[in-house]
Amino acid sequence: MTQASLDTSGTRPAVRLERHLPDPPAVVWQAITDRAQLKAWFPCDVIVEGDRWAVGASISFPFPPEVVDMTLTGTVLAVDEPALLSYTWGEDEVLTFELFPDGEGTRLVLTDQLRGSWAARNAAGWDDCLDRLAGLPAQPDAWRRRFAAYSAAFEPEIGPQEGPPADRLSRADRPNPGGA
């Protein structure tokens, strides 16, 4: 796990996570934009209008029904292949992926601008997702441990943290930023 950090310098708080990946940015770009590759690590399906990442394109994010009956929508905000991808995720979040060459690999930086009360749950979920992107094995009860640690770290600065809804607590260890 790489520790997520909290950024409160903008108009809304954001969690920021980094991972070093052994592949070059062009390969990592495919992992964050190709629908089939996203299914291996992202918490839901990602369907981009016209199958093309372009500024203004609509995106839908249907979650697996066994996780939660929900589909979020979004809009592509920025595309600079293979360095930057940014889009809205639902009504309250902006996800930004930055890819930096790092030796023969890539330093991936994920920033999730969100409601302050979601910071700990999303940081814990993105930690799990990025671990899967990096090819690390799933850790039992990882989400709960991470959520507790992030809640303790973030609450003094931005207030109480929301976990998953009570009817989804048994699914809390699934890799999912929303804790669904």
Side-chain angles (χ1 to χ4, degrees):
M1 174 180 100
T2 301
Q3 187 73 19
S5 60
L6 181 64
D7 180 359
T8 58
S9 64
T11 57
R12 293 177 43 190
V15 293
R16 184 176 187 275
L17 298 98
E18 289 190 35
R19 288 293 187 284
H20 174 79
L21 302 169
D23 295 311
V27 172
V28 176
W29 180 264
Q30 289 302 307
I32 68 170
T33 60
D34 179 79
R35 185 176 178 192
Q37 291 188 46
L38 281 160
K39 288 180 181 182
W41 68 273
F42 203 79
C44 58
D45 196 1
V46 179
I47 304 168
V48 181
E49 173 186 29
D51 294 324
R52 191 168 161 268
W53 290 92
V55 173
S58 297
I59 314 168
S60 63
F61 304 96
F63 283 79
E66 67 275 9
V67 175
V68 63
D69 184 21
M70 176 174 63
T71 298
L72 299 175
T73 59
T75 303
V76 178
L77 302 174
V79 179
D80 182 12
E81 183 178 347
L84 174 73
L85 179 65
S86 183
Y87 50 87
T88 59
W89 193 41
E91 295 178 13
D92 297 305
E93 296 181 66
V94 174
L95 299 180
T96 301
F97 296 87
E98 297 174 279
L99 307 178
F100 301 95
D102 188 11
E104 294 183 20
T106 301
R107 181 171 56 97
L108 178 143
V109 176
L110 167 61
T111 305
D112 182 358
Q113 187 179 45
L114 41 58
R115 290 183 189 178
S117 62
W118 295 355
R121 80 171 188 197
N122 285 26
W126 287 125
D127 256 336
D128 286 346
C129 290
L130 294 181
D131 281 355
R132 290 190 335 167
L133 177 62
L136 299 174
Q139 299 176 20
D141 206 35
W143 187 91
R144 288 181 192 275
R145 288 191 320 273
R146 290 172 170 171
F147 174 74
Y150 286 133
S151 290
F154 297 166
E155 281 184 7
E157 192 167 350
I158 58 174
Q161 296 296 292
E162 295 178 33
D167 64 337
R168 293 189 237 159
L169 284 175
S170 64
R171 298 180 188 151
D173 296 314
R174 294 176 190 245
N176 179 357

